[in-house]
Amino acid sequence: MIDFTDPQIVSAFIQAGGTIIAAICAALFAKSIVKESIKPLFKSYSDKSHDLSDLTQNAVNDIFIIVAIGNRLLEKYLSEFESKIKDGIHFRYLLLDMERYKELEIYMNDELSNSDEYVQVLQKLLKLQSDYPNLVEIRTFHGFMSASYIGIDICPETENLHILSSSIIQAMLYQYRVQAKNSPITYISPKSDEKCYRSTVSCMKEMWRDASPGLKLPGDGTV
């Protein structure tokens, strides 16, 4: 029979109880971290709460877009991009060349979409560049693209990293057999992770340097 008047036994029960309470508190704390800090970092284009306007409306220097093609992006946000350009925002847009785009389409969707979509995107970009030649730059990338990036105020024209209060990057992974609308999106901010932000800005700048100025319309040469 346990003698609950024995100080050593009472002490042992107190220690055991403290250990259990600590374990429960640690589990609850870990759960709160996952719920509050990690889960909100990821969403997708199909998520109703996703709205790029939340970022672009705060741009004061530049909008820098790196995408495979961005047909859905331009359909939804072209007028907003143009509005920011009219305000003096520098707009840079990098997309894959036709052959690389076809490769990525097969990688993600296991099939090719309507090739007219690619031409339509080029035409929209060419018009934007023609209307705002001093603020719009467009380049084509000939390498493999593992993710898309939309940078707000990353100041790519500066040699060293220049951080503004509005600086942020939206990144979307290109995954095997996963349509873009279902691909995970996360946000990289210098406030929350400056090291990751720095490396991502560096990646975007390197892709821009290695890309070719101008657009190549099928059958029409480089324009």
Side-chain angles (χ1 to χ4, degrees):
M1 184 175 179
I2 300 176
D3 183 2
F4 289 99
T5 62
D6 188 329
Q8 292 184 342
I9 294 177
V10 173
S11 177
F13 270 102
I14 292 175
Q15 291 179 12
T19 300
I20 294 171
I21 292 173
I24 293 173
C25 289
L28 291 174
F29 180 67
K31 183 178 180 181
S32 70
I33 291 177
V34 172
K35 182 178 180 181
E36 301 299 331
S37 301
I38 298 178
K39 186 177 179 181
L41 291 175
F42 291 93
K43 55 180 64 177
S44 67
Y45 276 117
S46 59
D47 190 327
K48 293 181 180 180
S49 66
H50 174 263
D51 188 353
L52 187 62
S53 299
D54 294 339
L55 305 184
T56 56
Q57 66 182 359
N58 296 319
V60 296
N61 184 79
D62 62 276
I63 297 174
F64 189 176
I65 297 174
I66 295 178
V67 288
I69 177 174
N71 51 325
R72 300 290 182 267
L73 177 72
L74 292 177
E75 284 178 9
K76 188 172 182 179
Y77 296 107
L78 180 58
S79 61
E80 184 171 328
F81 294 151
E82 185 168 8
S83 176
K84 297 301 292 185
I85 294 168
K86 288 179 179 179
D87 290 339
I89 300 298
H90 201 134
F91 185 78
R92 294 174 178 82
Y93 198 102
L94 183 151
L95 74 163
L96 288 173
D97 65 26
M98 176 69 90
E99 293 307 312
R100 287 297 190 189
Y101 168 64
K102 289 179 179 179
E103 292 175 1
L104 188 59
E105 276 281 278
I106 294 174
Y107 177 82
M108 295 178 65
N109 303 318
D110 198 24
E111 61 181 3
L112 288 173
S113 62
N114 188 345
S115 60
D116 289 343
E117 288 187 345
Y118 187 87
V119 176
Q120 290 167 6
V121 166
L122 298 190
Q123 291 171 339
K124 289 178 181 178
L125 292 173
L126 284 170
K127 184 178 186 307
L128 197 64
Q129 188 176 51
S130 176
D131 291 342
Y132 309 96
N134 296 323
L135 291 172
V136 176
E137 293 184 69
I138 303 167
R139 296 187 181 185
T140 51
F141 190 64
H142 311 293
F144 181 75
M145 191 179 290
S146 59
S148 70
Y149 306 97
I150 300 177
I152 306 299
D153 292 338
I154 70 170
C155 303
E157 66 275 6
T158 58
E159 183 175 346
N160 298 318
L161 186 70
H162 185 64
I163 295 176
L164 302 176
S165 60
S166 51
S167 298
I168 193 168
I169 298 169
Q170 173 186 288
M172 185 187 79
L173 301 178
Y174 288 145
Q175 297 179 307
Y176 186 64
R177 299 292 189 265
V178 177
Q179 293 183 343
K181 66 178 182 178
N182 298 320
S183 298
I185 293 172
T186 191
Y187 300 92
I188 305 169
S189 165
K191 298 176 183 177
S192 59
D193 192 336
E194 185 174 330
K195 182 178 180 180
C196 185
Y197 178 80
R198 285 177 175 273
S199 65
T200 305
V201 169
S202 176
C203 167
M204 295 173 69
K205 287 185 175 182
E206 286 298 321
M207 292 179 74
W208 184 256
R209 292 190 190 102
D210 289 344
S212 300
L215 298 177
K216 187 174 182 180
L217 288 171
D220 291 335
T222 301
V223 293

